[in-house]
Amino acid sequence: QFVSSQHGEDLIVPQTYFAMFPPATRIVFGCSAVNFLGMESKPEFHVIHTAPTPVPMTVIAGPTEIITNREEDVVVRTFVQVVSEVFDQLVDEDSCPDVEWKWTVTCASDRCRDEIVSLPNSVITSKADLFIPAFTLDFNTQYMLRIELSYVDESGRTLPSSEFLSLTILPFKVDIEVPGGTQIVSLSDSIRLQSRLISQQQELEDRVNFRWACRKSSGYLCQKLDNDFLILPDTSSYDIPPNSLPPGDYVFSVIGTF
């Protein structure tokens, strides 16, 4: 009752509270805020592991949910946390706990749910920190990252501790550069239309379709000197032949689809 009735920024949990739970229990405390308009924030969670004896546990440094783009690296840092009594004992004995780490990445999207993701050999999954280079994971996919810490105590028992992190790779978004900008040309000059993906997406060039459109500054579709409408091919670059368009102001736009 004392714990559940608290509504401030800080939560005080007395030591006797954990006596109500059996050993090796994972307790999740959730917190959300409500403003004066009644709008509730996204909840944040704090996890506590109870054990029959004080053992080191792994803690994720930072948020437990990451939303990022495929062209960005994913870096997750963790640290080992122990109760003060165990830390003092380690300092007195000048020893270090015998711990091992293991990262597992599992797909959480419907199309591949619960499938373990095979990571390249360059991704080290046996360290406290995890580094996944850009372009390793798929677009528009949610993953569950699990870090497991195994601790061997004095009697040789292996006591595990684990944490989870949600990782979402956003859908693909085409980012196009159009070199040149505004052009001023004569009737006898060709008009060069050119576009390209930004450098971070160059590897996807063959999988992107480009579609050009042309309108006059008045908003009407572009017509050639022979009164036919201007039709542009679906390509990243194109040269409009000389003597195709009558004098005027034209606006060209391009859309990329993946």
Side-chain angles (χ1 to χ4, degrees), residues 58-61 63-64 66 74-79 100-106 116-119 123-132 144-150 161-167:
T58 181
V59 178
I60 294 176
T64 56
I66 297 177
V74 176
V75 180
V76 184
R77 302 189 182 279
T78 69
F79 60 91
E100 294 182 355
W101 289 271
K102 180 183 178 182
W103 283 96
T104 304
V105 180
T106 305
I116 297 178
V117 178
S118 179
L119 298 172
V123 179
I124 301 176
T125 58
S126 58
K127 300 294 184 180
D129 299 336
L130 179 67
F131 174 78
I132 302 178
M144 186 63 66
L145 278 57
R146 181 175 185 262
I147 172 66
E148 182 177 3
L149 180 146
S150 299
S161 168
S162 61
E163 273 293 341
F164 297 87
L165 181 143
S166 173
L167 171 64

Side-chain angles (χ1 to χ4, degrees), residues 9-31:
E9 295 181 355
D10 299 324
L11 176 66
I12 301 175
V13 182
Q15 184 176 1
T16 54
Y17 176 81
F18 300 102
M20 299 186 297
F21 300 93
T25 299
R26 187 173 185 267
I27 304 174
V28 180
F29 292 93
C31 177

Side-chain angles (χ1 to χ4, degrees), residues 174 176 195 208-213 234-235 253-258:
V174 178
I176 299 176
S195 65
V208 174
N209 296 320
F210 296 86
R211 186 170 72 251
W212 287 93
D234 295 337
T235 180
S253 60
V254 61
I255 296 175
T257 56
F258 177 71

Side-chain angles (χ1 to χ4, degrees), residues 185-189 191 214-217 221-230 240-250 252:
V185 298
S186 67
L187 189 63
S188 59
D189 293 333
I191 302 175
C214 176
R215 288 187 178 274
K216 301 184 66 173
S217 58
L221 295 176
C222 300
Q223 285 182 288
K224 298 187 295 183
L225 286 172
D226 58 7
N227 290 327
D228 287 338
F229 288 106
L230 177 66
I240 300 176
N243 301 306
S244 294
L245 294 173
D249 295 330
Y250 300 90
F252 296 90

Side-chain angles (χ1 to χ4, degrees), residues 164-224:
F164 297 87
L165 181 143
S166 173
L167 171 64
T168 300
I169 306 297
L170 294 173
F172 178 75
K173 177 183 178 183
V174 178
D175 290 317
I176 299 176
E177 297 175 330
V178 181
T182 302
Q183 300 183 43
I184 300 177
V185 298
S186 67
L187 189 63
S188 59
D189 293 333
S190 63
I191 302 175
R192 176 69 170 171
L193 303 179
Q194 185 178 6
S195 65
R196 60 173 178 249
L197 296 180
I198 61 174
S199 58
Q200 295 92 329
Q201 297 181 352
Q202 287 295 322
E203 66 170 43
L204 305 171
E205 188 85 36
D206 296 337
R207 301 169 62 184
V208 174
N209 296 320
F210 296 86
R211 186 170 72 251
W212 287 93
C214 176
R215 288 187 178 274
K216 301 184 66 173
S217 58
S218 60
Y220 291 101
L221 295 176
C222 300
Q223 285 182 288
K224 298 187 295 183

